[in-house]
Amino acid sequence: MASVDLVRKVALGLPRTTEHLIHDRVKFRVGRIVYLALSRDEATLGFAFPREERAALVATEPERFFLPRASDMRYHWVCAHLGLLGDDELREIIVDAWRMVVPKRVYAQWQQGAP
């Protein structure tokens, strides 16, 4: 089962990521772009995700993934129940979300050094 500690460990291990407390919510961003956000109760995780693919993800596993609130639908964003994600799946989600917001060369450099 995924945890907030794992979210923090993976996210902060990625280049250019910083952690911020914004409106009582922990968020991870690169520059000014947020790519991960925990709910206030830390039970759900919002993450950057290709807009054109999010409906399919939610339809496939609605018990684990859901769309953000209406005011956030304009963003490339989807949400998940953190406790229903496996550790490996969470790592993949975090890296994919981060990849959407960093320059391609930063991702390529990280990938070359990644285990």
Side-chain angles (χ1 to χ4, degrees), residues 10-29:
V10 173
L12 293 176
L14 296 170
R16 299 189 181 189
T17 295
T18 56
E19 180 179 339
H20 301 271
L21 187 61
I22 303 169
H23 302 291
D24 297 326
R25 294 181 66 193
V26 174
K27 297 186 180 195
F28 297 90
R29 64 187 193 191

Side-chain angles (χ1 to χ4, degrees), residues 54 67-75:
R54 66 184 175 190
L67 295 174
R69 63 181 183 230
S71 62
D72 289 337
M73 288 296 289
R74 67 181 184 256
Y75 300 112

Side-chain angles (χ1 to χ4, degrees), residues 5-14 17 35 90-91 94-95:
D5 290 338
L6 183 58
V7 170
R8 184 171 277 117
K9 179 182 175 186
V10 173
L12 293 176
L14 296 170
T17 295
Y35 71 93
L90 178 62
R91 283 184 189 92
I94 293 169
V95 170

Side-chain angles (χ1 to χ4, degrees), residues 84-104:
L84 299 178
L85 300 175
D87 290 353
D88 290 340
E89 182 179 28
L90 178 62
R91 283 184 189 92
E92 184 178 333
I93 286 170
I94 293 169
V95 170
D96 288 348
W98 169 78
R99 182 180 180 186
M100 288 182 64
V101 300
V102 293
K104 289 179 183 178

Side-chain angles (χ1 to χ4, degrees), residues 21-64:
L21 187 61
I22 303 169
H23 302 291
D24 297 326
R25 294 181 66 193
V26 174
K27 297 186 180 195
F28 297 90
R29 64 187 193 191
V30 171
R32 300 188 75 205
I33 302 172
V34 174
Y35 71 93
L36 292 175
L38 290 161
S39 60
R40 284 185 177 93
D41 65 2
E42 298 182 341
T44 62
L45 176 70
F47 55 96
F49 194 81
R51 190 181 311 172
E52 60 278 356
E53 296 175 22
R54 66 184 175 190
L57 176 66
V58 171
T60 303
E61 298 187 73
E63 66 284 352
R64 296 186 327 136

